[in-house]
Amino acid sequence: MNADLHPRRTTYAVVGATALMALYGGIRLVPGSREPGPGWTAGHTAMFAGLLLFVPILLALRRVLAPRRTAAGRLAANAALGTAFAGLACSLVQIGIDLVVGLRAADKPDQSRMFERIQDVPGVSAAVYQVGPLLFYVGLLAMLIAASVGAGRALRWWSPVLMLVGTVATAADLAFIPVAAVCYLAALAPLVRQGVARTPAVA
């Protein structure tokens, strides 16, 4: 792909991912949106699309880390990227399950029963609802920290701090998802403003 397309793609991804995340958080606050119906479907569709937009964001961060001079540095960057992608895949599966259940369930009790049956499958609860999705935030945070330290840093110290604040806020209460979306936007904005996505990829 032409390198000139990277900054534009990253801009769309950063703005789109955080906007869709905020939309999901806002819809959750609407009465009736946490049970089968239009609110549930619209909110989870927005979140699914927002998570997909983190793919180009992660790749942009990897390009920022590409010039690392040591083999250990490149290995660490690739490990962080792989961890983030693994967690992102688990998060997408979780939202996908939520969407299907919301579409198939007749009402809230039926929805709860369907979730119980799914989560009773060995390994599903840990992989899709507990440990798996956390890997996305661990890998993303590691990449942000790596990009904000050292002489050739592309991001400022507050990028990983804001990402951590937003993540902790949502862990405390999902009502803070719109606040977390603002934190994520501010944390990732340097990828757009500073044009760091123009950095060419290095194998």
Side-chain angles (χ1 to χ4, degrees):
M1 180 181 292
N2 189 322
D4 292 337
L5 295 180
H6 288 319
R8 182 179 299 178
R9 182 180 65 184
T10 304
T11 299
Y12 293 154
V14 168
V15 175
T18 53
L20 289 167
M21 180 180 174
L23 177 61
Y24 167 66
I27 291 175
R28 286 190 81 260
L29 301 177
V30 177
S33 64
R34 302 184 194 180
E35 58 189 52
W40 178 277
T41 301
H44 284 78
T45 299
M47 190 61 182
F48 191 90
L51 287 173
L52 283 177
L53 288 175
F54 271 96
V55 172
I57 292 173
L58 292 174
L59 293 176
L61 281 169
R62 182 60 186 90
R63 287 194 295 274
V64 168
L65 300 176
R68 301 290 164 164
R69 298 182 182 278
T70 66
R74 291 191 294 273
L75 180 62
N78 288 334
L81 179 64
T83 299
F85 271 133
L88 182 59
C90 292
S91 297
L92 287 168
V93 171
Q94 178 189 137
I95 298 297
I97 290 173
D98 291 351
L99 268 171
V100 172
V101 169
L103 290 170
R104 295 186 60 184
D107 50 30
K108 185 67 174 179
D110 189 31
Q111 182 185 45
S112 297
R113 287 191 294 270
M114 293 178 70
F115 277 131
E116 288 176 4
R117 287 198 296 270
I118 292 170
Q119 294 175 17
D120 282 343
V121 176
V124 170
S125 183
V128 178
Y129 287 94
Q130 297 174 2
V131 179
L134 292 178
L135 298 177
F136 168 62
Y137 300 101
V138 170
L140 178 57
L141 183 61
M143 296 180 78
L144 287 173
I145 292 173
S148 62
V149 299
R153 64 180 181 272
L155 305 179
R156 298 297 183 90
W157 62 269
W158 40 261
S159 282
V161 170
L162 284 172
M163 182 66 66
L164 182 60
V165 167
T167 302
V168 171
T170 57
D173 193 331
L174 292 179
F176 291 124
I177 289 177
V179 176
V182 174
C183 290
Y184 286 15
L185 177 60
L188 296 169
L191 284 176
V192 177
R193 290 202 311 269
Q194 299 179 12
V196 295
R198 296 180 186 274
T199 306
V202 176

